[in-house]
Amino acid sequence: MLDLFTIFTKGGMVLWYFQGTAFSMAQAVNGLVKTVILQERVGVNSYTHDSLTLKFRLDNEFDLVFVAVYQKMIQLAYVDKLLEQVQLAFRDRYKNELANGACLALDFSREFNGILDELESEQRSQEPRKMRTFNESKKADKIQQQPNVDVIPEKPALPQEEKTPPVAMVEEAGAEPKAKPKLPVGPVARTAAGMRKTANKRTSSSTVAKQSSVTTSPKSRSKEKRVWEGVVTKEEASSLDRSSTKGGNGSIEVPEYQVDYSMVGQMKGDLKSLEEEEVESEVESEEEETTSESKQNTSKNSGGVFSFFMNLAGGKTITQDSMTPILEKMKEHLITKNVAAEIAEKLCTSVAGKLDGKVVGTFTGIQSTVRASLEESLVQILSPKRRVDILRDVMVKREGGSQPYVITFCGVNGVGKSTNLAKVAFWLLENGHRVLIAACDTFRSGAVEQLRTHTHHLDSLHKPAREGAPPSIMLYERGYGKDAAGIAMEAIGFAQQQGFDVVLVDTAGRMQDNEPLMRALAKLIRVNNPDLVLFVGEALVGNEAVDQLTKFNRALVDHSDGDNQRVVDGIVLTKFDTIDDKVGAAISMTYTTGQPIVFVGTGQKYVDLKSLNVHAVVSALLK
Amino acid sequence: MAMVYGWEVAVVTLLVLIFTLVIVKFVFFGRKKGVYVCLLGYSDSGKTLLFTRLAHDRFVRTQSSIKENKATVQIENKKSVELVDIPGDERIRDRLFGKYRDNIRAIIVVVDSANVQAEVRNVAELLFDLLSSRSINKQLSSILVACNKQDLTLAKECEDIKVMLEKEITALRITRQAKLASMDGGASSSSPLFLGKKDKDFQFSDLPIKVQFVPCSARGKGEEASSIAEVDTVKSWITNLP
């Protein structure tokens, strides 16, 4: 039944394994390690990989991982107990070898088979539960208490009653505002006999209701064209259309700008990362700088001298109880720093899971250990699992053919998509790429004009080298009211034709609960298959971040093709300058998706675009 | 009589003083020469197996590491080195390597020769970060790139891998041109070095650090438990360390 059971060290060496099939499951176990343990989801102890379920258990005293793998379809109830008992048995048997360190290829088969046989026979010996008959159930008791309904016989003949319940429901719904039923709602109304009785009681009062119900509408009314709220009709659209030509590049008169040339040249190369001062509250930043370096040196040396004594003094084991009050405090602290509540909870559970049973020297406080572990976990969460080097990717795409590199910005309303899109365009221009902006926000008033203004501004800042050379930045727009996915497709074709390196697609802001809009976004992404889908979120958001990201991800996955599943590839964290040190939103977002934060917006000018400095954010969180 | 006592007291005091100074030097100033030989590389390149071969001369099945492996290893009874196997996963590599970064004696970058096409960018970034870090340049004079998994049929030759990496690093040089200091990482993060010569493509031979490419196979041929690894190239490089 079990496909695989492995015991391996945290350093990666397999100490013992039992394999039920010839199929290699190393990939699945690696997936477990990377997805669950390294992403701090240790609280959830089961993980699914293709058709397999994996359950695991950590032993923090000897740094071991126990993993059981079995087919997803089979429900094995004893796996948790198996893991627990195997862990205890293994530790007892090999305590000495494990304490000494290097131990390879141990033989544990006999004990393992013993435990497994015991648990399997226990499961088999439990009789399968027989289902209760209706009369024995609680429902029959409740019905018997009602005076005017007879108890339904064992197997009610339902076929002829199938039609009446739906009709009865409709009439019920129609009649509700008109007549209050005198029958008690609940078990009575839901049984077939009860519903028939309700229907009969109401037919008298429902003649009026019938006229208003949906099922019988007079056929004489001609079908009126339905007017949806909020959608711009063709006539209105043409009146709103401000493009002077109906073509692509809208070359209207450019109003005179005060062009600020001082910005040019500041953003060449990779983005600067956030500095310490930007993340801290102002008061403490200066003292921190001077003392941090001296602190580093002294702590290293004191560690060296005292670690000798600490190893002498023996150890104490960390237990769940000793950690709980500290973790509670840490959790509340994180919540005050604007981390979403459920994320803080999961994080603390994960840290507890990683430290449970660990042995530390008697001189080290539990609080400092927990704090250090939490800090490690936070750094791990914020560190990207793969480097997102956009400049490099653009170069690769350019070398590979004439296809442009497409970046899509999506997010809820008002988070700063258009502003940050302009900042990204500025950065790309600084690095010598040609950018096309696709105005796929066809809904918000002024969206196209805003992007046009940005385009003019950026163009005048980065005039092409020779006269008559093609412009380095252009806007592709089709006015308002059109289908966003179609505009995006045309824009990408246009970019390919004209030799643009990057296409930045701006979409309309939409709430994550709005089903039709989410579907429209998923369609845009599915049809155009952009290279990078960036979710733009503001740093001010708290618990909402989790909801937004989960729903956006789910919408993208649900409406994408089977073999080309797209999810959010990266996060842009905006309005970072408005929060002093309440930087929790960064954690909430990266924890939910597992994707890195690619850009951080720190202001409202073109140069206010930085990359994430993990240590600055983590130290601000834990202060 | 008093003079004799004076002599003895003076000698003893001197000895005690010297003794204290030596202790102080070792505890507070540390040893100047680096200690650790670190195995670095991308996930799934074979570091842990290579470590086990060098340290215990055995085969072991491996999974992704989440913690480093350390051992004091006797290479062919000539030298004893502190070998450290650092997990390859990006999230924890920097943190764990940071513990040993200021105290390294040698670095071995392990590369999966069969899968190098897909991962050449990641390996190039890793090498780029190492080679352009000033603190690493100060401590090391040579780096070994072990092209592992040579037992697989799709494995590429060392020369091909070298050329691929040189091309990637040339491109990386351009995109990282104006990168300023302040990434999390080196405490001694002054501005990173420019690799190679400015007006020509990057080549490993242009660097002050000597980068050597050797083939090896930690898995070896044959059944798992009885396979014989081909890691002599790595072993001889380690024995030739200063």
Side-chain angles (χ1 to χ4, degrees), chain A residues 284-302:
Chain A
E284 307 167 21
S285 53
E286 285 170 5
E287 305 166 11
E288 282 280 329
E289 274 176 5
T290 46
T291 53
S292 62
E293 282 224 8
S294 49
K295 258 197 221 162
Q296 257 184 354
N297 294 333
T298 48
S299 64
K300 246 192 276 183
N301 294 326
S302 60

Side-chain angles (χ1 to χ4, degrees), chain B:
Chain B
M1 279 293 187
M3 291 258 300
V4 175
Y5 275 137
W7 260 119
E8 284 177 355
V9 168
V11 167
V12 167
T13 328
L14 200 60
L15 280 176
V16 168
L17 207 61
I18 293 175
F19 190 56
T20 328
L21 279 174
V22 165
I23 290 192
V24 164
K25 178 180 185 282
F26 272 114
V27 167
F28 285 102
F29 293 98
R31 292 165 220 105
K32 290 226 180 88
K33 187 166 146 220
V35 166
Y36 298 107
V37 176
C38 294
L39 288 175
L40 290 171
Y42 210 64
S43 275
D44 241 13
S45 50
K47 299 178 289 298
T48 308
L49 183 55
L50 183 63
F51 173 87
T52 322
R53 288 291 193 193
L54 291 173
H56 307 293
D57 204 16
R58 298 169 71 154
F59 172 85
V60 71
R61 265 200 182 188
T62 55
Q63 303 287 161
S64 293
S65 315
I66 48 180
K67 208 167 167 248
E68 73 271 30
N69 291 309
K70 267 205 293 197
T72 315
V73 175
Q74 285 275 359
I75 303 280
E76 288 170 9
N77 298 327
K78 282 187 222 163
K79 245 186 172 147
S80 133
V81 293
E82 289 273 337
L83 199 59
V84 182
D85 161 37
I86 311 258
D89 191 281
E90 291 254 357
R91 290 174 197 263
I92 46 177
R93 183 205 307 156
D94 290 326
R95 171 168 58 92
L96 291 177
F97 185 48
K99 288 198 253 178
Y100 306 97
R101 202 190 169 98
D102 294 324
N103 203 359
I104 30 170
R105 186 172 173 187
I107 290 183
I108 303 176
V109 177
V110 185
V111 178
D112 180 348
S113 314
N115 202 19
V116 69
Q117 200 69 41
E119 292 189 352
V120 65
R121 291 182 52 196
N122 298 315
V123 180
E125 276 185 29
L126 173 65
L127 272 174
F128 188 91
D129 286 335
L130 286 176
L131 293 171
S132 54
S133 150
R134 281 186 198 270
S135 73
I136 303 252
N137 269 285
K138 249 195 284 184
Q139 296 180 70
L140 295 182
S141 54
S142 60
I143 290 183
L144 180 70
V145 178
C147 303
N148 198 13
K149 304 203 186 178
Q150 290 286 330
D151 52 294
L152 297 175
T153 44
L154 290 176
K156 297 223 165 4
E157 296 296 323
C158 282
E159 272 306 309
D160 299 332
I161 299 178
K162 182 170 174 177
V163 167
M164 273 197 263
L165 286 172
E166 283 176 344
K167 261 205 297 199
E168 274 298 316
I169 296 186
T170 315
L172 274 177
R173 263 196 326 197
I174 304 172
T175 57
R176 303 268 192 107
Q177 199 176 337
K179 184 168 179 159
L180 296 179
S182 84
M183 271 322 279
D184 40 1
S188 60
S189 57
S190 32
S191 62
L193 299 169
F194 185 82
L195 298 181
K197 304 225 162 62
K198 281 200 198 268
D199 37 349
K200 65 185 242 246
D201 282 349
F202 171 78
Q203 283 187 339
F204 283 111
S205 43
D206 295 335
L207 289 172
I209 288 190
K210 195 157 92 92
V211 180
Q212 241 181 308
F213 283 75
V214 294
C216 73
S217 167
R219 171 72 173 73
K221 297 220 188 308
E223 286 298 313
E224 289 191 349
S226 55
S227 54
I228 305 170
E230 293 153 28
V231 292
D232 297 324
T233 42
V234 179
K235 283 189 188 172
S236 63
W237 185 83
I238 297 180
T239 40
N240 290 335
L241 282 175

Side-chain angles (χ1 to χ4, degrees), chain A residues 410-432:
Chain A
C410 62
V412 302
N413 311 64
V415 291
K417 287 183 292 300
S418 304
T419 313
N420 282 281
L421 183 146
K423 290 185 207 168
V424 172
F426 181 77
W427 175 58
L428 289 168
L429 286 174
E430 289 272 285
N431 283 293

